[in-house]
Structure formats: structure tokens, C-alpha cells
């Protein structure tokens, strides 16, 4: 009953917030904010692995309030995750209270922030403090930030802070992050360059993590042999300061653009790299070219021992990552391959991505009246090539040594992920649009998910949109994944009807008809409806969710199987 009352109070809070909209302007001051509620009633289902939970009614909720007056602003966020959705509970994102607050002042020369803040240097190879509510990620820094603009086109940023770790207290923490970043925008400094079609930015970052070393680390030499022995890495030999430096360049001329960033991390023995003393590095390159009807984008990524976090003993699923190695592969919304999304591997990956977009001209024989869009995509990622150092070979383990050597541009023997994709999109008439897609995937289940084997799959998808009336649309989505690996083949269908701008209805089903275990050839259906009024959206859904992984931009987390009814409410004012 207590938990039910708490959920009811949250709903009352939603209603109470709305009247503030009429009074958000107070002289030169402004009060704004947003509210979110995501609740679920869980029903156990042993077939899909949806276990009985101790509280069937669960919810995540937050309320942001922001005050601004001229160059000054202040904000606070209250979060209620006391009885969170089960996937958040499994990553220890559980608690309630004010976990984000700040005060900020800025003018044309300086910006000063105190409290919690998010920040990213360059592409994030050295520092990325951000929030992704879907993934349960919030590694904001609690401390201070200063941004300077001493001259047009010159930007300097300095930060100091302690990373947030879910709902744990900051008090008593023995780790913190500090960093400085600078960037020169020559286009802003010399406007004539921009007028001639040139763009040129250069920048650099330096970020350092401090964490006290108070305990020795035990090492098992020659494991599994008769000469097995235990040795210790003394605490004084474990670096307390770990710096990362990065440099970047962005150049463009008319339709061509080249971006690159290189970062190097000093010795950082931690649990994710088996306490080796090898330096880490990462290289990100991206080149694009566009002209009327054609766009080409190519990217390269290499990351070697670049897992960089505030606490050396914290596991990879924690929110304490200081940096981020971006995923350069194409991101899809297809339901059937969502469980095979590529998770960026900061300690060992090298890969390439190529995408070509071409538009067949309108009113041509092939392009039709409205033109036709074609997309080709290719991406491939391996682990990095490496060879153990003599000391590691002598000890029978890499721990406590330099670990390994590696050729910088050599691909390792293990294929992590490959995607070859084609997409066709065409507007058939004023009322009909069609998208067809094909993807061939290779996915290393053992390395990326901890399961045995490799998945080879062929996905065929079709998306048909019919504009029934000016504000009415019906969309049909069909997908088929053919595979003899992992859980076998599946089909998926979705029918969605929308009445713009207020109503949305959908019904969908994912049938894993090819599962090798005939008892688990199950249907994962979902029925949903949503209503939008101004800045408020209310959505209701009922159905089953398959166990798997959720990935956004190469950052992933495990999602448990679930069955039940969900309610989602978001509003802003």
C-alpha cells in the first residue's frame, strides 16, 4: 500500500506541475522545467524468462526545474527511482533525492558553473560527461567549470569534479577528474575563409584522473600450472594520477569535410585491462563529401587500452567512464537486429565504416516522379592485433607487465561485427511511400555478449506509409531475420495509425519461429497508444519484451525479459 501511495503521489505531482505554465514569466526571470514518469505493472511469464518481482508496480520519475534571469541560471532535478523498473534495478540505478543541481553565470567573455554539469571535449576520446535516460547513464561531474572566450573564435574550458555514481554519496570518495580543453575556430577569427568555403578548427585536451592507491593488488602467476604462485603489485606501484591528452583537427572546403582526433592515455592498470601497464591510445577519422544527389561518408576507429574510468576496480557496466569511444557503424531502428547492435570496445577494436547515399533524379525513368533514394552501407570491426611481451610470457599472465605489443593498423584475428546493408526509399504518389532494406550481419556473440558462437543473419525489411487524409496516416512495417545461429529466425510486424498531432496507435508482434528450442518459439506482442497535447505526451502499452541488449550510439546495457502494462508521461513547461 505504501508503494502504491507513492506512485499515486507522483501522478498528482504531474497534475500540480501544469498550472505553473501560466506563471513561468516573472519580470525578467523565467521558470521552466520538465517532468517524466515511466511506470510498469509486471506480470511473471516463465516462458520468456520474466521472473516474479518483489514489487509488481514500479516506476522511474524525475522533475527538472530551471530558473534563468539574464546571464544567470540555476537548476535542480529531483529523481524518484526508489522502486525502479527492473532493468534499472539490475544496474543498481536505485534511490531517490536531488542528484543534480547547478548555478551558472555567463557573458560574452566567461561562463562559470558550480554544481553538477555535463561536458564533452572534442569527440569525447578524453572526456564525455553526459546523460542518457534510456540507458540509465548519468556520469555528470559535481564540481566547477569555467569557459573563456578571450577572442572571437578562441575557446578555453576547464573542469574539476567528481563523477556521479548512481545514487551513491559523493562523501568519502577518493577520486576526482580535472581537465582543460582549447579550440581555435579560424572561420570565426577570419571570416573571409568562410566566405571562400573553408572551415578549419584545431583543438586539444588534457584530462587527468586522480584516485588514491591504498591497497596492494594480488597477481596469480602461471595460473593452471604446477608452478602457480601469488605475487602482489604494491599500492605505491599503482599510479594515482592517470592523464589523457588528445588533439583534433576539422577541415572543410565546400562539400568536403575531414575530421580527426588522436588521444593517448598514460599507464592505467585497472580491472578492465587486467592491471597491465601499457599506455592506451585511440584514433578517430571521418571524411565526408556531398554534392547534389550524392553523399559519401567514410570513418575509421581504433581503440587500444582506452577504457578510462574514475575507479580502477569498478566493472565495465558502471557509469564511471570518463571518456567515450564513439561507435561509427550505422545505427538502425529495426526490431529484429536491435539485439545485435554493436557495442564499442574501448580496449580493443579497429574498424571502418562506409556509407553512400545517392538520389536518382526526379521525373527520370528510373527515379520516377518524386525521385528515389538509395543507400549503401558497409562496416567491419575486429579486435586489435597483439603479441604478449616477453615478461608476460615468462609470468604466464599479462597482469603487472606492459601486457602486449600491437601493430597500429593491423586487424586482429577476431571479427567482432560486420554489416553490409542496402536501402531503397521511394515516394510512389502523394499518399504512398515505400522503404525496402536488406542487411547481412556477422555478430560475435562471445566477445560482445558473453554467449557462445557467432551470429550470421540476413534481414529483409519493408516499410509502407499511406497518408489516408491530411492528418491521418497508416504505416505498415514488416521484417524477417533469417539465421541458423543463436536463437534462429524471426519475423516482425507492426501496424501504426496516427492522427496528427494528437493520437498514435500501434500493434506489433515479434515471432521467434526459428528458435532451436521448439518450446521457445514465442510471440512477443505489444499494443500501444499515445496522446500528445501541447508539450505533454501520455503513452500506454501492453505486451512482452524480449531479453537482450539496448544500444544507443555504441553504448549498451542488458535488458531483461518483461511482460506487463506500461504508462509513460512526459511534459515540459
Amino acid at each position: 500500500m505504501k508503494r502504491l501511495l507513492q506512485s499515486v503521489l507522483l501522478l498528482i505531482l504531474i497534475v500540480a506541475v501544469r498550472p505553473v505554465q501560466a506563471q513561468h514569466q516573472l519580470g525578467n526571470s523565467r521558470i521552466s522545467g520538465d517532468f517524466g514518469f515511466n511506470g510498469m505493472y509486471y506480470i511473471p511469464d516463465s516462458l520468456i524468462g520474466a521472473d516474479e518481482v518483489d514489487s509488481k508496480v514500479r516506476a522511474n520519475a524525475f522533475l527538472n526545474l530551471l530558473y534563468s534571469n539574464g546571464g544567470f541560471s540555476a537548476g535542480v532535478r529531483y529523481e524518484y527511482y526508489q522502486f525502479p523498473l527492473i532493468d534499472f534495478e539490475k544496474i543498481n540505478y536505485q534511490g531517490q533525492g536531488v542528484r543534480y543541481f547547478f548555478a551558472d553565470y555567463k557573458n560574452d567573455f566567461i561562463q562559470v558553473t558550480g554544481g553538477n554539469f555535463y561536458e564533452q571535449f572534442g569527440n569525447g576520446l578524453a572526456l564525455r560527461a553526459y546523460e542518457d535516460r534510456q540507458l540509465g547513464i548519468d556520469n555528470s561531474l559535481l564540481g566547477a567549470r569555467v569557459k573563456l572566450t578571450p577572442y572571437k573564435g578562441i575557446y578555453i574550458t576547464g573542469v574539476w569534479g567528481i563523477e556521479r555514481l548512481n545514487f551513491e554519496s559523493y562523501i568519502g570518495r577518493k577520486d576526482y577528474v580535472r581537465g582543460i580543453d582549447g579550440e581555435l575556430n579560424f572561420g570565426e577569427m577570419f571570416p573571409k575563409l568562410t566566405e571562400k568555403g573553408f572551415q578549419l578548427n584545431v583543438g586539444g585536451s588534457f584530462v587527468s584522473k586522480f584516485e588514491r592507491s591504498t591497497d596492494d593488488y594480488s597477481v596469480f602467476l602461471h595460473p593452471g600450472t604446477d608452478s602457480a604462485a601469488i605475487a602482489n603489485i604494491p599500492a605505491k606501484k599503482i599510479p594515482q594520477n592517470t592523464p589523457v591528452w588528445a588533439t583534433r583537427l576539422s577541415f572543410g572546403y565546400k562539400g568536403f569535410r575531414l575530421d580527426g582526433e588522436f588521444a593517448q592515455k598514460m599507464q592505467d592498470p585497472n580491472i578492465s585491462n587486467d592491471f597491465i601497464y601499457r599506455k592506451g591510445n585511440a584514433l578517430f577519422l571521418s571524411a565526408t563529401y556531398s554534392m547534389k544527389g550524392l553523399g559519401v561518408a567514410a570513418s575509421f576507429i581504433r581503440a587500444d587500452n582506452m577504457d578510462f574510468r574514475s575507479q580502477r576496480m569498478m566493472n565495465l557496466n558502471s557509469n564511471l567512464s570518463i571518456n567515450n569511444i564513439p561507435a561509427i557503424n550505422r545505427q538502425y531502428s529495426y526490431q529484429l537486429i536491435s539485439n545485435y547492435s554493436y557495442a564499442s570496445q574501448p580496449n580493443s577494436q579497429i574498424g571502418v565504416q562506409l556509407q553512400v547515399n545517392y538520389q536518382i533524379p526526379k521525373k527520370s525513368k528510373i527515379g520516377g516522379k518524386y525521385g528515389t533514394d538509395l543507400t549503401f552501407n558497409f562496416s567491419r570491426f575486429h579486435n586489435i592485433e597483439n603479441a604478449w611481451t616477453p615478461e608476460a610470457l615468462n609470468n604466464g599472465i599479462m597482469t603487472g607487465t606492459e601486457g602486449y605489443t600491437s601493430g597500429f593498423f593491423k586487424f586482429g584475428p577476431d571479427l567482432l561485427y560486420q554489416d553490409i546493408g542496402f536501402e531503397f526509399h521511394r515516394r510512389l504518389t502523394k499518399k504512398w511511400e515505400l522503404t525496402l532494406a536488406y542487411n547481412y550481419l556477422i555478430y560475435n556473440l562471445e566477445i560482445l555478449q558473453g554467449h557462445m558462437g557467432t551470429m550470421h543473419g540476413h534481414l529483409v525489411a519493408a516499410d509502407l506509409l499511406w497518408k489516408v487524409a491530411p492528418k491521418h496516416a497508416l504505416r505498415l512495417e514488416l521484417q524477417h531475420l533469417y539465421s541458423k545461429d543463436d536463437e534462429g529466425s524471426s519475423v516482425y510486424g507492426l501496424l501504426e495509425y496516427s492522427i496528427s498531432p494528437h493520437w498514435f496507435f500501434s500493434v506489433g508482434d515479434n515471432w521467434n519461429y526459428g528458435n532451436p528450442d521448439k518450446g521457445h518459439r514465442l510471440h512477443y506482442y505489444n499494443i500501444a497508444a499515445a496522446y500528445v497535447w501541447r508539450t505533454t505526451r501520455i503513452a500506454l502499452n501492453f505486451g512482452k519484451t524480449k531479453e537482450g541488449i539496448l544500444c544507443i550510439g555504441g553504448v549498451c546495457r542488458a535488458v531483461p525479459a518483461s511482460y506487463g502494462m506500461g504508462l509513460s508521461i512526459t511534459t515540459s513547461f
Side-chain angles (χ1 to χ4, degrees):
M1 181 61 71
K2 179 181 178 182
R3 296 178 181 178
L4 180 60
L5 287 174
Q6 289 172 328
S7 298
V8 172
L9 287 173
L10 286 170
L11 292 173
I12 293 174
L13 181 57
I14 298 172
V15 179
V17 164
R18 298 299 299 175
V20 179
Q21 295 183 77
Q23 303 174 4
H24 64 273
Q25 196 74 36
L26 303 172
N28 294 325
S29 302
R30 178 181 175 84
I31 298 176
S32 59
D34 62 291
F35 178 89
F37 173 91
N38 191 8
M40 184 84 177
Y41 175 80
Y42 289 97
I43 302 171
D45 187 326
S46 58
L47 278 178
I48 69 170
D51 299 328
E52 181 84 38
V53 294
D54 57 356
S55 176
K56 291 185 177 181
V57 179
R58 292 170 172 266
N60 302 343
F62 69 90
L63 172 64
N64 276 311
L65 292 175
L66 177 66
Y67 169 83
S68 59
N69 187 341
F72 175 79
S73 62
V76 62
R77 180 169 67 228
Y78 173 77
E79 300 179 21
Y80 184 85
Y81 288 74
Q82 193 66 37
F83 307 101
L85 301 179
I86 57 174
D87 45 338
F88 284 75
E89 184 180 64
K90 288 182 181 294
I91 60 173
N92 298 318
Y93 204 88
Q94 184 173 12
Q96 59 91 24
V98 174
R99 301 297 296 172
Y100 183 87
F101 59 90
F102 74 93
D104 181 271
Y105 174 77
K106 65 178 179 179
N107 56 34
D108 292 339
F109 171 70
I110 190 170
Q111 178 181 358
V112 180
T113 307
N116 294 93
F117 58 89
Y118 302 107
E119 186 58 66
Q120 178 170 320
F121 292 169
N123 295 287
L125 301 186
L127 174 69
R128 189 190 186 198
Y130 73 110
E131 179 191 25
D132 193 310
R133 203 173 300 280
Q134 279 186 276
L135 291 175
I137 291 177
D138 186 341
N139 65 334
S140 61
L141 294 172
L142 174 62
R145 175 183 60 187
V146 178
K147 291 189 172 187
L148 300 175
T149 309
Y151 184 78
K152 183 170 58 177
I154 301 177
Y155 303 97
I156 302 171
T157 302
V159 301
W160 183 98
I162 302 173
E163 273 195 296
R164 174 182 174 176
L165 177 58
N166 299 342
F167 287 86
E168 292 188 12
S169 173
Y170 294 97
I171 299 174
R173 291 273 293 272
K174 300 177 181 179
D175 57 278
Y176 53 82
V177 178
R178 56 269 174 105
I180 187 169
D181 180 81
E183 181 168 305
L184 301 177
N185 186 319
F186 290 95
E188 294 183 8
M189 296 169 66
F190 307 105
K192 288 186 177 181
L193 288 175
T194 303
E195 294 173 6
K196 294 181 179 181
F198 286 96
Q199 291 180 322
L200 179 60
N201 292 7
V202 295
S205 309
F206 181 85
V207 178
S208 177
K209 173 204 78 170
F210 174 83
E211 182 187 7
R212 287 193 178 92
S213 302
T214 56
D215 300 315
D216 297 346
Y217 184 77
S218 297
V219 180
F220 293 88
L221 305 178
H222 307 287
T225 68
D226 293 337
S227 57
I230 298 177
N232 283 329
I233 300 176
K236 63 181 181 180
K237 293 285 185 72
I238 299 176
Q240 295 191 125
N241 289 284
T242 301
V244 171
W245 62 265
T247 182
R248 62 186 183 270
L249 168 71
S250 178
F251 170 78
Y253 177 66
K254 295 184 178 180
F256 174 77
R257 184 178 179 91
L258 175 67
D259 293 280
E261 183 169 3
F262 177 78
Q264 181 161 0
K265 181 182 68 165
M266 298 299 105
Q267 293 179 336
D268 181 26
N270 61 71
I271 195 172
S272 76
N273 65 10
D274 293 326
F275 272 79
I276 64 173
Y277 282 76
R278 176 179 171 82
K279 294 179 181 179
N281 57 68
L283 174 64
F284 167 74
L285 296 172
S286 174
T288 61
Y289 176 75
S290 62
M291 58 180 289
K292 186 177 181 180
L294 176 67
V296 181
S299 301
F300 172 85
I301 190 78
R302 184 187 189 275
D304 177 2
N305 192 27
M306 276 301 289
D307 183 80
F308 185 36
R309 59 191 59 243
S310 292
Q311 296 181 10
R312 64 180 66 90
M313 295 301 294
M314 190 60 65
N315 63 51
L316 293 174
N317 295 322
S318 74
N319 284 345
L320 288 180
S321 291
I322 299 171
N323 66 339
N324 177 65
I325 306 301
I328 61 174
N329 58 296
R330 190 180 182 192
Q331 306 296 311
Y332 296 103
S333 60
Y334 300 132
Q335 177 78 17
L336 294 185
I337 58 174
S338 61
N339 196 40
Y340 303 108
S341 298
Y342 179 67
S344 185
Q345 305 295 299
N347 277 343
S348 181
Q349 72 172 340
I350 182 170
V352 294
Q353 155 80 5
L354 173 67
Q355 182 168 320
V356 180
N357 298 302
Y358 178 69
Q359 184 182 64
I360 303 175
K362 300 177 181 179
K363 299 180 180 180
S364 64
K365 289 184 179 180
I366 301 177
K369 182 178 180 180
Y370 300 98
T372 300
D373 296 318
L374 303 176
T375 301
F376 166 76
N377 172 75
F378 171 80
S379 57
R380 186 179 178 94
F381 300 90
H382 282 245
N383 64 348
I384 61 172
E385 179 271 343
N386 69 75
W388 284 29
T389 63
E391 185 181 3
L393 288 171
N394 184 60
N395 292 341
I397 191 170
M398 289 193 294
T399 304
T401 73
E402 291 285 336
Y404 56 89
T405 60
S406 178
F408 195 87
F409 289 106
K410 290 186 178 180
F411 282 59
D414 295 320
L415 173 62
L416 302 178
Y417 176 87
Q418 178 179 286
D419 170 31
I420 302 174
F422 301 89
E423 189 172 280
F424 166 96
H425 176 265
R426 186 165 182 171
R427 184 176 178 184
L428 305 175
T429 68
K430 288 184 177 181
K431 293 187 176 182
W432 292 88
E433 288 185 36
L434 174 65
T435 301
L436 300 175
Y438 167 79
N439 290 83
Y440 173 59
L441 288 180
I442 302 177
Y443 185 92
N444 193 315
L445 291 162
E446 183 174 358
I447 294 178
L448 298 177
Q449 292 190 17
H451 302 160
M452 293 297 295
T454 298
M455 194 283 293
H456 299 74
H458 300 265
L459 176 81
V460 178
D463 191 316
L464 183 63
L465 176 65
W466 175 30
K467 295 182 180 179
V468 182
K471 293 186 178 182
H472 293 245
L474 181 66
R475 187 173 73 90
L476 173 65
E477 182 180 335
L478 298 174
Q479 301 173 30
H480 179 247
L481 176 65
Y482 172 77
S483 177
K484 294 182 179 180
D485 305 313
D486 197 26
E487 296 184 339
S489 301
S490 297
V491 293
Y492 174 79
L494 173 72
L495 191 62
E496 181 182 86
Y497 190 81
S498 59
I499 306 173
S500 181
H502 298 299
W503 290 99
F504 300 86
F505 305 92
S506 69
V507 56
D509 183 37
N510 177 358
W511 179 28
N512 185 201
Y513 75 91
N515 196 309
D517 183 352
K518 293 183 179 180
H520 284 82
R521 294 178 176 177
L522 306 173
H523 288 268
Y524 294 86
Y525 59 84
N526 193 281
I527 303 168
Y531 176 74
V532 178
W533 181 71
R534 294 183 179 177
T535 61
T536 298
R537 184 179 187 273
I538 303 173
L540 190 67
N541 73 282
F542 177 78
K544 300 182 179 183
T545 299
K546 190 176 182 179
E547 180 183 7
I549 62 170
L550 173 65
C551 296
I552 299 176
V555 182
C556 305
R557 69 172 173 85
V559 176
S562 63
Y563 176 37
M565 178 173 288
L567 172 64
S568 173
I569 303 173
T570 59
T571 186
S572 61
F573 53 92

